[in-house]
């Protein structure tokens, strides 16, 4: 990542000491939005010592990552460290990666590997879109049938021990875990383990539409279930923020609410008529009050449609994902901040979209959605007041999983996500040009490759000094073969100081936290 201020010299010497000084003791809990990630890194002009100072351990972790970037392999078995004076801090407090684990299941090991890459790119939020219409892989203690009947198979479930492992692993890398349980739509898999939860759906001719996908908010049983489930969820996921979804409700409103006699009767009794937004408003008001009652000071994130539909959701953070052009994206950011909401932007960083060429750079084809202009995208690039722009918390790169699983997650996500990470961390004046970013992105891709991750080439024909070369052994005598890819530990050893961040960061986190 590009530091805010850095000076360097070419003096040579022997580095004998790396000192890490943290001003406060390590917090006992997980990192939160308010974490302090500021640090200073000094490598002395004679290269004899290096010092990282930070107020909190989270800043020290970022400083160690930057230190690893100063180490380079000048000759075989020879490493040098650039002298430097770096004073650095993130531009935004919320810098996230969304992974969808419902459309295709991601094994825990793959999530952990991705957390390592996030730490190397100074992301600090793992947005876990854990369930959706297609599958419910979260193991609920209170309602075990949700995963028993809603997951693809028993092998495609995140058990409570798995979730604790992910949260603990993320904590040691300064990464928050914000879980999303999308409601009131995208709930098809919920109904498999909780009969009666979803609204019955009907076509206009009154015949049954079997594709239930939206909750029935008119039943007392619905609220008893939701209260118990979200009490559990908030006890499992300790971050102060929870994502409640709220997107694409309109797709199911007509068949499942307006064509449902029971729901329509309820709406008439309430005086809503056919205005489904009033029922949605009632639903979210109850949901937000319930969450606040379950755990004080919990902040709720919702997709932008909730606020576009004029739902009264005071204090909710708007997660903006729509917009076919940068103009439309910025108009949405302006609208939600003008209404007084904090905002997170994802519209321009939909990394599941595939385009030919370097899609992290410039996209000029008029027929191509402008998602992909990663370096041109600025979460505060809208017309608005300084007060509005102060409400922008940051952004998230997203990876929806309709065509993504453990086999292609890392190469599809990285280093394209590195571009978003640099925009969210660094001084915007230094990161607006995709052309100037290319050498940095190429170097960073080679660094991740050298550390043992199969990250894809970000540009036209080029090469890294050390190609991706997984071991492949064939025994002519026994006619057996084995293939292995560089493990995290093997990659650390092979790249020595070039991967010092992985080893030292973990050591520091374990010692202090």
């Amino acid at each position: 990542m590009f530091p805010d201020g850095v000076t360097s010299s070419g003096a040579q010497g022997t580095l004998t000491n790396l000192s890490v000084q943290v001003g406060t003791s390590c917090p006992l809990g997980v990192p939160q939005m308010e974490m302090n990630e500021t640090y200073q890194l000094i490598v002395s002009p004679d290269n004899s010592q290096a010092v990282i100072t930070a107020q909190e351990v989270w800043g020290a972790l970022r400083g160690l990552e930057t230190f690893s970037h100063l180490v380079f392999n000048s000759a075989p078995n020879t490493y040098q460290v650039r002298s430097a004076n770096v004073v650095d801090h993130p531009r935004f407090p919320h810098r996230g990666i969304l992974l969808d684990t419902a459309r295709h299941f991601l094994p825990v090991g793959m999530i952990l590997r991705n957390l390592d890459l996030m730490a190397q790119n100074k992301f600090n939020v793992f947005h876990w879109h854990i369930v959706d219409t297609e599958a419910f892989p979260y193991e609920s203690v209170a309602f075990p049938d949700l995963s028993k009947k809603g997951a693809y198979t028993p092998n495609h479930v995140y058990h409570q021990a798995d979730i604790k492992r992910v949260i603990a692993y993320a904590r040691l890398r300064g990464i928050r875990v914000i879980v999303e349980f999308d409601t009131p739509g995208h709930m098809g898999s919920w109904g498999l383990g909780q009969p009666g939860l979803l609204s019955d759906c009907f076509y206009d001719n009154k015949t049954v539409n079997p594709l239930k996908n939206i909750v029935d908010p008119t039943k007392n049983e619905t609220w008893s279930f939701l209260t118990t489930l979200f009490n559990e969820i908030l006890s499992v996921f300790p971050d102060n923020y929870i994502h409640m979804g709220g997107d694409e409700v309109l797709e199911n409103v007509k068949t499942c609410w307006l064509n449902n006699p029971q729901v329509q009767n309820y709406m008439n009794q309430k005086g809503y008529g056919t205005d489904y937004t009033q029922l949605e408003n009632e639903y979210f008001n109850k949901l937000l009050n319930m969450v606040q009652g379950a755990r004080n000071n919990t902040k709720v994130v919702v997709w932008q449609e909730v606020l576009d539909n004029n739902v009264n959701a005071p204090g909710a953070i708007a997660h903006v994902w729509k917009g076919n052009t940068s103009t439309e994206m910025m108009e949405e950011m302006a609208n939600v901040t003008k209404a007084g909401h904090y905002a997170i932007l994802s519209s321009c960083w939909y990394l599941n979209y595939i385009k030919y060429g370097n899609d992290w750079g410039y996209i000029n084809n008029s027929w191509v959605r402008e998602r992909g202009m990663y370096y041109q995208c600025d979460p505060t690039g809208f017309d608005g007041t300084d007060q509005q722009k102060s409400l922008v918390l940051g952004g998230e790169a997203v990876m929806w999983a309709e065509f993504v699983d453990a086999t292609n997650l890392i190469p599809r996500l990285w280093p394209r996500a590195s571009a978003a990470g640099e925009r969210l961390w660094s001084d915007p004046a230094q990161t607006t040009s995709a052309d100037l970013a290319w050498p940095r992105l190429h170097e960073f891709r080679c660094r991740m490759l050298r550390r043992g991750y199969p990250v894809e080439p970000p540009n036209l024909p080029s090469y890294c000094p050390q190609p991706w070369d997984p071991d492949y052994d064939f025994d002519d005598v026994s006619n057996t073969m084995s293939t292995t890819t560089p493990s995290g530990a093997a990659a650390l050893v092979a790249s020595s100081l070039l991967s010092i961040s992985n080893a030292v960061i973990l050591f520091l986190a374990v010692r202090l936290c």
Side-chain angles (χ1 to χ4, degrees), residues 22-44:
V22 180
T24 58
S25 60
C26 186
L28 298 177
V30 297
Q32 298 285 359
M33 172 74 78
E34 300 76 19
M35 74 170 94
N36 186 338
E37 299 172 277
T38 301
Y39 69 90
Q40 182 174 14
L41 165 62
I42 298 175
V43 180
S44 62

Side-chain angles (χ1 to χ4, degrees), residues 7-11 41-45 47 50 67-73 80-85 443 447:
T7 59
S8 63
S9 72
L41 165 62
I42 298 175
V43 180
S44 62
N47 298 119
F67 176 77
S68 75
H69 300 178
L70 300 177
V71 181
F72 62 100
N73 191 191
Q80 289 184 290
V81 182
R82 294 177 176 88
S83 61
N85 187 345
E443 178 184 2
R447 181 179 292 114

Side-chain angles (χ1 to χ4, degrees), residues 61-112:
L61 297 178
R62 309 304 176 226
L64 284 164
E65 182 60 45
T66 295
F67 176 77
S68 75
H69 300 178
L70 300 177
V71 181
F72 62 100
N73 191 191
S74 58
N77 300 317
T78 301
Y79 297 91
Q80 289 184 290
V81 182
R82 294 177 176 88
S83 61
N85 187 345
V86 179
V87 178
D88 202 10
H89 61 85
R91 182 185 179 199
F92 293 108
H94 186 114
R95 308 178 307 280
I97 297 287
L98 179 153
L99 294 185
D100 167 12
T101 61
R103 275 56 178 261
H104 281 100
F105 182 82
L106 290 176
V108 170
M110 186 54 60
I111 293 176
L112 301 185

Side-chain angles (χ1 to χ4, degrees), residues 99-103 128-139 146-147 150-151 158 179-183 185-190 229-230 233 400:
L99 294 185
D100 167 12
T101 61
R103 275 56 178 261
W128 196 348
H129 187 89
I130 195 168
V131 302
D132 209 295
T133 297
E134 293 79 7
F136 198 102
Y138 168 77
E139 178 193 50
L146 288 173
S147 60
Y158 298 110
V179 73
E180 178 184 355
F181 282 81
D182 199 354
T183 70
H186 286 268
M187 294 180 68
S189 65
W190 299 47
L229 179 63
F230 277 100
I233 291 168
W400 299 110

Side-chain angles (χ1 to χ4, degrees), residues 220-492:
N220 291 332
E221 296 85 353
T222 294
W223 291 102
S224 176
F225 164 78
L226 292 175
T227 299
T228 302
L229 179 63
F230 277 100
N231 267 280
E232 175 187 309
I233 291 168
L234 292 171
S235 69
V236 171
F237 293 91
D239 196 272
N240 289 337
Y241 288 68
I242 183 172
H243 205 301
M244 305 300 297
D247 61 317
E248 299 177 329
V249 172
L250 184 59
E251 295 181 2
N252 303 108
V253 163
K254 184 176 183 183
T255 58
C256 303
W257 279 1
L258 300 184
N259 286 351
N260 181 307
Q262 287 75 28
V263 175
Q264 189 57 62
N265 181 57
Y266 179 89
M267 293 177 66
N268 289 334
Q269 290 177 1
K270 291 282 188 174
Y272 301 159
T274 59
D275 185 359
Y276 77 90
T277 63
Q278 295 192 55
L279 181 58
E280 185 183 7
N281 202 324
E282 177 187 313
Y283 173 80
F284 271 104
N285 282 333
K286 284 185 177 180
L287 191 67
L288 268 60
N289 288 333
M290 181 194 70
V291 167
Q292 289 289 345
R295 192 180 71 186
N296 288 334
N297 301 317
T298 298
K299 310 293 194 305
V300 173
V301 186
V302 294
W303 294 109
Q304 67 184 71
E305 288 101 317
V306 175
L307 305 175
D308 288 345
N309 291 339
N310 297 316
V311 169
N312 181 25
I317 294 96
H319 193 164
V320 174
W321 71 277
K322 285 191 170 183
N324 291 334
T325 67
S326 58
T327 299
E328 292 174 358
M329 298 172 194
M330 291 301 103
E331 286 177 350
E332 184 65 30
M333 291 293 289
N335 290 338
V336 294
T337 54
K338 187 176 182 179
H341 292 281
Y342 285 100
I344 298 164
L345 178 65
S346 283
S347 301
C348 48
W349 293 311
Y350 262 51
L351 305 189
N352 52 293
Y353 278 45
I354 302 296
K355 305 178 184 67
Y356 190 78
N358 54 338
D359 61 357
W360 54 272
Y362 300 107
I363 301 293
N364 296 318
N365 306 68
S366 60
W367 55 270
V368 175
R369 293 168 68 97
E370 291 191 15
R371 304 181 197 265
M373 304 168 70
Y374 304 158
Y375 276 103
Q376 294 169 283
C377 183
D378 184 348
T380 61
F382 55 87
D383 292 331
T385 65
D386 290 342
Q387 174 62 26
Q388 284 178 255
K389 295 185 180 184
S390 71
L391 297 175
V392 178
L393 298 176
E396 290 183 5
V398 301
M399 183 58 73
W400 299 110
E402 288 89 349
F403 299 96
V404 175
D405 65 8
T407 64
N408 63 344
L409 171 69
I410 286 178
R412 184 167 294 187
L413 188 56
W414 306 100
R416 296 160 73 226
S418 301
E422 189 171 39
R423 285 294 279 164
L424 293 170
W425 176 277
S426 302
D427 175 3
Q430 300 183 72
T431 59
T432 55
S433 170
D435 292 332
L436 295 178
W438 152 240
R440 299 194 305 273
L441 193 65
H442 175 73
E443 178 184 2
F444 206 82
R445 183 255 174 166
C446 292
R447 181 179 292 114
M448 292 187 288
L449 196 72
R450 191 164 54 240
R451 291 175 173 178
Y453 300 92
V455 295
E456 72 176 17
N459 210 343
L460 296 172
S462 59
Y463 70 94
C464 289
Q466 292 177 301
W468 174 253
D469 186 20
D471 294 334
Y472 188 91
D473 298 321
F474 189 87
D475 188 335
D476 290 329
V477 176
S478 62
N479 290 324
T480 61
M481 60 183 176
S482 64
T483 60
T484 61
T485 57
S487 67
L492 290 176

